[in-house]
Amino acid sequence: REKNVERVARMLVANLGPGFKVVVEKSTVPVRTSETLAKIFAANATADHTVEVLSNPEFLAEGTAIRDLFEPDRVLIGGRETPDGQRAVERLSWLYEHWVPKDRIITTNLWSSELSKLAANAFLAQRVSSINALSAICEAVGADCAEVCVALGTDKRIGSRFLQPSVGFGGSCFQKDILNVVYLCY
């Protein structure tokens, strides 16, 4: 995957016109991917253009992706803490402000943005795993898991989302992101 990112970055920088450019990483990527991109852009830069890399991870859920895009809980934009980095953050924020309330746009540094996406997926995966474990306990002791979930969901600290037992979490995102967080711990 890293080779693909490097290849695309080299292709982008080779085809840039003059002026200030902003490259936005949208995917869930390993922390510090933006640093790799910035190094490639800097190494291949010409005097007539400047490139800033932003992290803008998507928080889209399967089945609600379009709604999540138009009515997001939050928009996260990470940029370098330099004048050009902040200029790039302001430009992307301005675009989102056309449909997202300003108080839902969170700006951070690059690493916080990249890590926030991984952490969100790790928390959600842990929540799914926990409710599945609780479901097994309910079966063992004769409790009704649906009733326990309602009781848990009324606790404001917990909330009612992601409290439905299932066979586990599907897709590759949660597993990949959990492994990425584990890797960072080492």
Side-chain angles (χ1 to χ4, degrees):
R1 181 174 165 118
E2 189 173 314
K3 289 180 183 178
N4 291 333
V5 169
E6 289 179 20
R7 185 174 43 79
V8 169
R10 289 188 204 314
M11 182 186 70
L12 275 174
V13 77
N15 292 292
L16 287 177
F20 183 73
K21 306 296 180 197
V22 179
V23 173
V24 181
E25 70 183 21
K26 293 291 295 173
S27 182
T28 306
V29 295
V31 175
R32 298 217 179 239
T33 296
S34 54
E35 181 177 48
T36 300
L37 291 172
K39 285 179 181 177
I40 292 168
F41 293 140
N44 296 282
T46 62
D48 64 345
H49 72 261
T50 303
V51 181
E52 278 298 319
V53 178
L54 297 180
S55 170
N56 177 223
E58 297 169 336
F59 294 93
L60 308 176
E62 186 175 330
T64 61
I66 300 299
R67 186 183 74 219
D68 295 342
L69 178 65
F70 286 108
E71 299 172 16
D73 292 335
R74 81 291 205 187
V75 169
L76 183 58
I77 302 172
R80 289 188 317 142
E81 296 171 314
T82 63
D84 278 345
Q86 293 309 296
R87 179 176 163 203
V89 167
E90 288 169 12
R91 281 191 177 185
L92 187 55
S93 294
W94 177 83
L95 288 174
Y96 277 110
E97 288 169 20
H98 286 80
W99 78 92
V100 177
K102 201 170 189 169
D103 65 339
R104 289 192 191 167
I105 300 172
I106 302 168
T107 60
T108 68
N109 69 40
L110 283 168
W111 322 133
S112 294
S113 178
E114 290 175 345
L115 183 58
S116 293
K117 175 60 177 181
L118 295 175
N121 281 352
F123 267 69
L124 290 172
Q126 186 277 329
R127 189 168 175 116
V128 170
S129 296
S130 293
I131 199 63
N132 287 341
L134 183 61
S135 174
I137 294 169
C138 287
E139 285 183 27
V141 301
D144 183 327
C145 190
E147 292 175 346
V148 173
C149 289
V150 168
L152 282 173
T154 59
D155 187 324
K156 291 179 183 174
R157 298 167 300 166
I158 297 171
S160 61
R161 296 183 69 182
F162 292 93
L163 288 181
Q164 298 303 316
S166 65
V167 295
F169 43 83
S172 62
C173 288
F174 284 175
Q175 181 180 1
K176 171 184 61 72
D177 292 348
I178 290 168
L179 292 173
N180 201 326
V181 171
V182 169
Y183 175 79
L184 289 172
C185 292
Y186 287 107

